[in-house]
């Protein structure tokens, strides 16, 4: 038997329905914030990730799925979304659009060759978004609050936002120097990766999973102390807007993010869930004002965020959030004999076109077995089509919950179903209190 590759998973059944629901909530909220959906290729030139995510990043040095295609081109399965989106922005000259900034969102699988564990996979899905073309601190605050609103709308209770600022280029360089000065005398206490990072990108040492509990890490200089006045002021504004929006946040100097392209605001969002352990960071992002230019576009400020959907699903499960998943069929159509089957085919088509979830028997079951199947599918109503009723243009419709049966005219069937079924899919968007309609 051929099994799925290590670090991947199959999503089907009720889990697939949960994924679809979560994706729908994301789509709805992104629409309210006026973002448009974007789809970019699963693979891109390897160079794109070397130049954006960075040659010294763990993602690029150890985790990419690289291959040479049959034409000899070096390709990489995308490990994250921003690089592809920015490549697309530049290639399609979106900087020339009259409407700015450009706000894009995605929901797509990513690939990283990591050691698989709970909440960490080799193929995983991220939803994320980018605001390209604005340097306004309001966009930083909005990007953060939007993530919080999505998590809350889905039903996560305790969300913690940790923010930090790396400052502008000057501040970042000053900080970089301070870090090198701090870590150099302790170089032998650091892991071999960090030894290399010291020269290439010392900020990354702060992200190290191996060295994170060492004293030399705890006493490391903090970004905040190296921000110049301008960067400090900017950070203050972001915090002010966040407060106005009612977002609870903490300034955490440890948040520096793993990728090369960040400056100014960086942030991570945790779901505070008991037993969730190291996987409690469900999303993160930051400002990347230099990336568009780095990828040969015009100098363009931007900010983005990405969240792991797999991890978000796990968080929802652990918090026992009940998603309003429809696990019911509206109507199960049975027929006494082949004579009524043609009419069943007609009705099935008609009712489905009217928006109802209708099922029938495709296995030539007995009526008794048909009732059992209707029960398995949680059908709200059952109709057994029989010649006698149909001659009078009537059907007997049985409510499986109340066990009551009504005899109604076929012409009234749609109206009858409309009256008796709350439409689960008619979701009203209220971000503060997303309307979790009862399935019944
Ligand atoms: P990153 O792009 O590394 O900043 O990750 C952003 C989010 O993606 C994280 O907070 C996780 O929720 C998710 N994520 C990153 N790597 C993985 C992975 N290997 N498996 C599952 N989710 C991941």
């Amino acid at each position: 038997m051929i099994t799925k590759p290590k670090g991947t998973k199959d999503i089907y059944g009720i889990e697939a329905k949960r994924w679809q629901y979560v994706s729908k909530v994301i789509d709805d909220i992104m629409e309210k914030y006026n973002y448009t959906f974007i789809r970019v290729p699963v693979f891109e030139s390897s160079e794109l990730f070397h130049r954006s995510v960075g040659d010294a990043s763990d993602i690029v040095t150890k985790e990419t799925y690289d291959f040479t295609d049959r034409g000899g081109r070096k390709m990489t399965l995308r490990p994250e979304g921003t690089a592809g989106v920015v490549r697309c922005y530049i290639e399609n000259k979106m900087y020339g659009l009259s409407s700015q900034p450009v706000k894009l969102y995605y929901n797509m699988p990513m690939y990283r060759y990591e050691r698989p564990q709970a909440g960490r996979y080799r193929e995983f899905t991220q939803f994320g978004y980018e605001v390209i073309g604005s340097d306004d601190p309001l966009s930083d605050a909005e990007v953060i609050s939007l993530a919080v609103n999505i998590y809350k709308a889905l039903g996560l209770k305790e969300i913690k936002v940790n923010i930090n600022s790396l400052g502008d280029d000057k501040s970042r360089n000053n900080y970089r120097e301070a870090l090198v000065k701090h870590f150099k005398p302790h170089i032998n206490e650091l892991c071999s990766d960090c030894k290399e990072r010291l020269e290439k990108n010392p900020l990354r040492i702060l992200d190290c999973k191996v060295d994170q509990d060492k004293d030399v890490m705890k006493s490391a200089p903090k970004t905040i102390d190296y921000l110049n006045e301008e960067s400090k002021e900017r950070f203050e504004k972001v915090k002010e807007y966040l407060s106005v929006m009612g977002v609870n946040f903490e300034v955490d100097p440890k948040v520096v993010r793993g990728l090369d392209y960040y400056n100014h605001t960086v942030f991570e969002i945790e779901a505070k869930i008991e037993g969730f352990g190291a996987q409690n960071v469900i999303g993160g992002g930051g400002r990347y004002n230099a990336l568009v230019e780095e990828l040969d576009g015009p100098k363009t400020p931007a900010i983005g965020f990405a969240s792991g959907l797999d991890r978000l699903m796990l968080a929802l499960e652990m918090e026992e959030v009940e998603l309003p998943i429809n696990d019911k069929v509206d109507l199960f159509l049975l027929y006494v004999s082949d004579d009524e089957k043609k009419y069943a085919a007609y009705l099935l088509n008609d009712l489905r076109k009217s928006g109802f979830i209708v099922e029938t028997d495709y296995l030539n079951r007995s009526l008794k077995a048909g009732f059992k199947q209707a029960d398995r599918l949680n059908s709200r109503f059952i109709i057994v089509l029989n010649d006698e009723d149909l001659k009078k243009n009537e059907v007997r419709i049985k409510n499986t919950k109340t066990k009551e049966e009504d005899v109604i005219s076929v012409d009234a069937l749609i109206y009858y179903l409309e009256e008796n079924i709350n439409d689960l899919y008619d979701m009203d968007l209220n971000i503060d209190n997303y309307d979790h309609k009862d399935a019944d």
Side-chain angles (χ1 to χ4, degrees), residues 106-172:
Y106 57 81
N107 184 345
M108 56 193 189
M110 307 293 168
Y111 301 84
R112 292 184 197 172
Y113 196 82
E114 297 200 75
R115 200 164 56 79
Q117 48 187 292
R120 190 169 286 280
Y121 311 97
R122 289 182 175 171
E123 182 187 64
F124 60 99
T125 300
Q126 282 184 341
F127 80 88
Y129 44 87
E130 321 287 345
V131 179
I132 311 176
S134 167
D135 192 27
D136 192 328
L138 177 59
S139 55
D140 299 40
E142 244 184 50
V143 160
I144 298 171
S145 68
L146 168 53
V148 173
N149 285 339
I150 290 176
Y151 294 141
K152 283 195 175 159
L154 286 167
L156 285 184
K157 287 172 205 91
E158 253 199 90
I159 302 291
K160 189 164 172 249
V161 178
N162 300 316
I163 62 168
N164 191 19
S165 173
L166 303 172
D168 58 11
D169 287 352
K170 269 192 214 140
S171 310
R172 208 181 135 126

Side-chain angles (χ1 to χ4, degrees), residues 26 51 72 100 126 143 173 194 267 278 313 381 403 406 413:
I26 292 168
R51 276 173 60 185
Q100 297 290 334
Q126 282 184 341
V143 160
N173 283 342
C194 281
F267 64 99
M313 300 308 295
F381 293 93
K403 312 285 180 214
D406 285 321
L413 184 55

Side-chain angles (χ1 to χ4, degrees), residues 7 59 63 79-81 106 110-127 151 257-259 261-262 267-269 279-285 305-312:
I59 293 181
E63 296 171 2
E80 56 95 54
Y106 57 81
M110 307 293 168
Y111 301 84
R112 292 184 197 172
Y113 196 82
E114 297 200 75
R115 200 164 56 79
Q117 48 187 292
R120 190 169 286 280
Y121 311 97
R122 289 182 175 171
E123 182 187 64
F124 60 99
T125 300
Q126 282 184 341
F127 80 88
Y151 294 141
R257 309 282 299 139
L259 314 184
Y261 50 58
Y262 290 112
F267 64 99
E268 283 181 353
I269 304 185
Q279 313 305 344
N280 62 357
V281 177
I282 50 173
F305 167 78
S307 179
L309 221 61
D310 310 74
R311 222 172 270 182
L312 173 58

